[in-house]
Amino acid sequence: SYHCVGTGRFDNSAQTDAQSVRNSRRPNYVSRTCRYRNLYYRLSDQTFHYLASPTESRALREASSTAAATVGNNGEDDDFLSRMEVSMEHVDERFQPSKFQSMRVRPWKPVVHLFQEEDVKDSLDPPLLGENNVAILQPFNVFLLLYQPYHSFNIGHFVWDDLLSLFSMLDLFQLSEDWNNVQPVPLHVELPNTKQGVNYGGPDPQWRCSPWNHLKWVKCVKTYKKLFPLLFGIRSSCSGDILRTGNWWRGPDTIGTWRGHPAQPCDDNGNDVNVGVEEEQKQQQADKEKNNLPPLPGTDHILLPNVLAGTGRLGHFSCDNDCSIGRGPQLRRFRDFLLRHLGLDGCSTLPPRGYITFSLPMGTSRPDKVHWFEQEVIIAKAKYGEDVVRVVNMADISMIEQAALTKDSAILVTNHGGGSVVSAFLERGCAVLNFWHEDIRMDASFFESAGYFRTQWIGVSDRSNVNRTMSILDHEVEQTAYYWPDNLSAQKLNRAILNN
């Protein structure tokens, strides 16, 4: 069976989803997320298949026959089937709907097989070849999250685009807090290129993380190796490769293999083992030979009890403007979800320690545009004291330390961009001063929607007015102290404002 949310139409005159795709420039499948029960994954061509029940098949045939007899129907696809279509790719809300075609965003749904009870008992149309050789994915609490990575080569994009999308699929079906009964497993769905006999990562491989773009993919898998275990509880291979349709169910020896990049050997602790050039060449040849072998010999299909798909508008850039309204509670749950994986208490009612944290933009890709807070740090330390003001390079401390420090901060001062993603760990009632340096506030869809903390924007033209910046900081400290009246650090901060 399947259950989809986000099936509302944009065009009231449309009679079917297929028609709404034609009549509305923003098709419905972009906003849809579905939960499929008992999909089949066919290893020979790496495709997903849906077996309709006898009653569902009968309903589909009745609907098709009725539609065919309707004048003016023009043979449109049946609404019953098109409602399980989703977008596997993220949609960038900054683009106009007319650009959907150029972005190559297309609907995705499993291959549907109808039950043929009229002709041959227990047969399917079209037939599911080799259906007698089926393995069942276990344990049964595994939920496969089908998706395609976005620009997840740095922590900002990884958290805001990929992880937020994966979490949101769980959250839409109230599975994100079912900690003991749900084990989410992301699965990168690659698109088959039948002419070349390979898979690639999806549309726009130049920018998105894709095995088809080797230089980009190497950067992406470094991020996966570092952050997937910490923030999502999923461990990648030693080489950093994640589960994807091009390498899954081929055995542990082939996980991590892709064109021009062999799997890295592991020691007993799961760490990389450095090998020489000759050994690496032998590994490449072995991987090539293994990839020519059939995956899981004797198995044609794998039964997947629980599958979620549809991340079109669930990412950071994918849910802007009207979409982001009301997303604040979900973003708070996302924060708690990440903190639980890091071993920190996201649901604690204890107040933050009350630090004023300046996050230095070390390692930024825009060194000529960022702000370094030299004068602001001097003034803040003179007013609030060395024990309250923290100046850190987040890249020098672990992810757990970053989250813990931000969680205990009353105010976070940062530049917008990937490094500002730690703002997600702020506690309720706290604030971030975000120095932005582009033509637009590129991260506004997150900062303006996360209702559990406050955001103040400092533009390029405002940086020279340090007094203004410090007045905003004092005001936000005061607001945080009001929110946490029993916090001794906040009281200290408040007294510092009154005394100055």
Side-chain angles (χ1 to χ4, degrees):
S1 64
Y2 70 94
H3 173 207
C4 298
V5 296
T7 55
R9 299 184 177 86
F10 290 89
D11 190 332
N12 292 330
S13 64
Q15 298 300 311
T16 70
D17 251 34
Q19 288 178 329
S20 71
V21 172
R22 185 190 66 222
N23 296 334
S24 175
R25 292 198 303 173
R26 174 159 288 150
N28 289 334
Y29 63 81
V30 168
S31 303
R32 182 178 297 125
T33 302
C34 293
R35 175 180 179 178
Y36 308 95
R37 289 181 173 88
N38 296 329
L39 285 188
Y40 286 81
Y41 179 79
R42 188 159 66 193
L43 291 126
S44 60
D45 57 1
Q46 301 173 4
T47 54
F48 296 85
H49 298 259
Y50 177 84
L51 276 59
S53 68
T55 53
E56 189 177 22
S57 299
R58 194 177 306 124
L60 284 166
R61 289 193 180 89
E62 288 292 336
S64 298
S65 62
T66 303
T70 303
V71 177
N73 179 264
N74 296 324
E76 294 285 358
D77 292 336
D78 185 75
D79 179 74
F80 205 66
L81 287 179
S82 63
R83 274 176 169 262
M84 70 163 65
E85 288 180 341
V86 299
S87 174
M88 197 68 71
E89 304 90 8
H90 292 85
V91 176
D92 196 324
E93 280 288 283
R94 295 170 298 175
F95 295 149
Q96 295 299 318
S98 59
K99 291 190 176 181
F100 268 108
Q101 295 299 319
S102 63
M103 291 170 62
R104 292 180 289 175
V105 176
R106 297 290 184 269
W108 177 93
K109 69 171 182 285
V111 179
V112 178
H113 301 263
L114 300 184
F115 190 78
Q116 293 285 86
E117 59 182 346
E118 301 92 343
D119 302 323
V120 181
K121 185 179 180 181
D122 297 334
S123 65
L124 296 170
D125 180 25
L128 187 65
L129 300 178
E131 64 268 24
N132 293 325
N133 300 317
V134 177
I136 300 177
L137 179 65
Q138 294 180 342
F140 290 106
N141 68 336
V142 169
F143 279 73
L144 282 185
L145 311 179
L146 308 187
Y147 82 115
Q148 289 183 344
Y150 201 46
H151 307 300
S152 51
F153 55 90
N154 67 27
I155 182 175
H157 284 296
F158 178 71
V159 172
W160 276 330
D161 296 326
D162 287 8
L163 290 195
L164 180 56
S165 298
L166 296 170
F167 167 82
S168 297
M169 287 198 290
L170 292 167
D171 197 58
L172 284 172
F173 292 97
Q174 301 182 29
L175 299 170
S176 60
E177 298 181 1
D178 196 358
W179 196 249
N180 296 321
N181 299 318
V182 174
Q183 174 59 64
V185 177
L187 178 61
H188 175 188
V189 177
E190 300 170 273
L191 303 179
N193 184 328
T194 55
K195 291 183 178 180
Q196 297 191 26
V198 297
N199 280 9
Y200 66 99
D204 190 17
Q206 179 178 357
W207 297 106
R208 299 175 188 243
C209 288
S210 164
W212 198 247
N213 184 341
H214 175 67
L215 294 178
K216 186 70 169 288
W217 187 244
V218 169
K219 296 180 180 179
C220 296
V221 295
K222 288 182 179 179
T223 302
Y224 301 151
K225 179 179 179 181
K226 179 181 179 181
L227 296 179
F228 251 128
L230 283 173
L231 298 177
F232 214 79
I234 293 297
R235 186 172 181 174
S236 63
S237 69
C238 281
S239 52
D241 198 10
I242 55 177
L243 290 181
R244 49 189 176 89
T245 51
N247 66 11
W248 203 24
W249 295 306
R250 293 177 179 270
D253 292 337
T254 60
I255 296 294
T257 62
W258 61 87
R259 186 179 58 175
H261 191 104
Q264 301 297 324
C266 304
D267 61 20
D268 294 337
N269 296 320
N271 299 317
D272 290 343
V273 176
N274 294 323
V275 297
V277 176
E278 182 178 353
E279 185 64 28
E280 184 172 334
Q281 291 175 347
K282 291 181 180 179
Q283 183 67 42
Q284 284 181 328
Q285 181 61 32
D287 290 335
K288 182 178 180 180
E289 294 173 357
K290 288 174 184 175
N291 284 334
N292 291 330
L293 296 176
L296 292 183
T299 300
D300 297 311
H301 297 80
I302 298 180
L303 175 61
L304 313 175
N306 296 291
V307 176
L308 301 180
T311 57
R313 297 193 75 187
L314 299 183
H316 169 43
F317 290 117
S318 308
C319 185
D320 203 352
N321 301 321
D322 61 315
C323 175
S324 64
I325 296 175
R327 205 179 187 187
Q330 185 183 65
L331 294 176
R332 171 69 187 195
R333 293 192 294 272
F334 179 53
R335 167 201 183 263
D336 296 344
F337 178 87
L338 298 178
L339 287 175
R340 285 201 304 268
H341 279 293
L342 290 170
L344 301 174
D345 188 358
C347 301
S348 174
T349 58
L350 296 176
R353 295 180 183 273
Y355 300 131
I356 298 175
T357 300
F358 289 84
S359 177
L360 299 180
M362 299 290 188
T364 178
S365 59
R366 305 177 182 90
D368 58 328
K369 296 183 178 180
V370 296
H371 189 56
W372 292 89
F373 319 124
E374 292 95 338
Q375 297 183 61
E376 292 85 352
V377 168
I378 294 173
I379 297 173
K381 285 185 174 181
K383 177 176 290 189
Y384 298 110
E386 297 275 351
D387 59 330
V388 171
V389 178
R390 301 295 175 95
V391 183
V392 297
N393 172 21
M394 292 292 185
D396 288 341
I397 60 178
S398 69
M399 192 71 224
I400 296 176
E401 291 172 322
Q402 293 180 40
L405 175 61
T406 306
K407 187 174 181 291
D408 271 332
S409 298
I411 308 295
L412 175 67
V413 185
T414 183
N415 286 268
H416 92 179
S420 65
V421 73
V422 295
S423 306
F425 299 120
L426 284 168
E427 190 51 86
R428 286 188 178 94
C430 297
V432 57
L433 270 62
N434 206 345
F435 284 69
W436 61 292
H437 43 263
E438 298 289 350
D439 295 333
I440 59 175
R441 300 174 184 177
M442 294 183 64
D443 307 316
S445 58
F446 170 77
F447 287 103
E448 299 294 349
S449 304
Y452 59 94
F453 65 84
R454 302 179 304 279
T455 301
Q456 291 284 358
W457 298 92
I458 310 295
V460 175
S461 60
D462 300 322
R463 295 178 185 178
S464 59
N465 192 344
V466 179
N467 291 333
R468 175 183 181 274
T469 300
M470 298 311 297
S471 295
I472 293 175
L473 188 147
D474 290 343
H475 172 72
E476 292 303 331
V477 168
E478 185 179 47
Q479 295 303 305
T480 303
Y482 289 155
Y483 191 93
W484 296 101
D486 297 329
N487 185 359
L488 295 179
S489 296
Q491 291 175 0
K492 179 181 178 180
L493 295 179
N494 201 15
R495 286 196 299 271
I497 296 174
L498 296 176
N499 293 335
N500 286 276

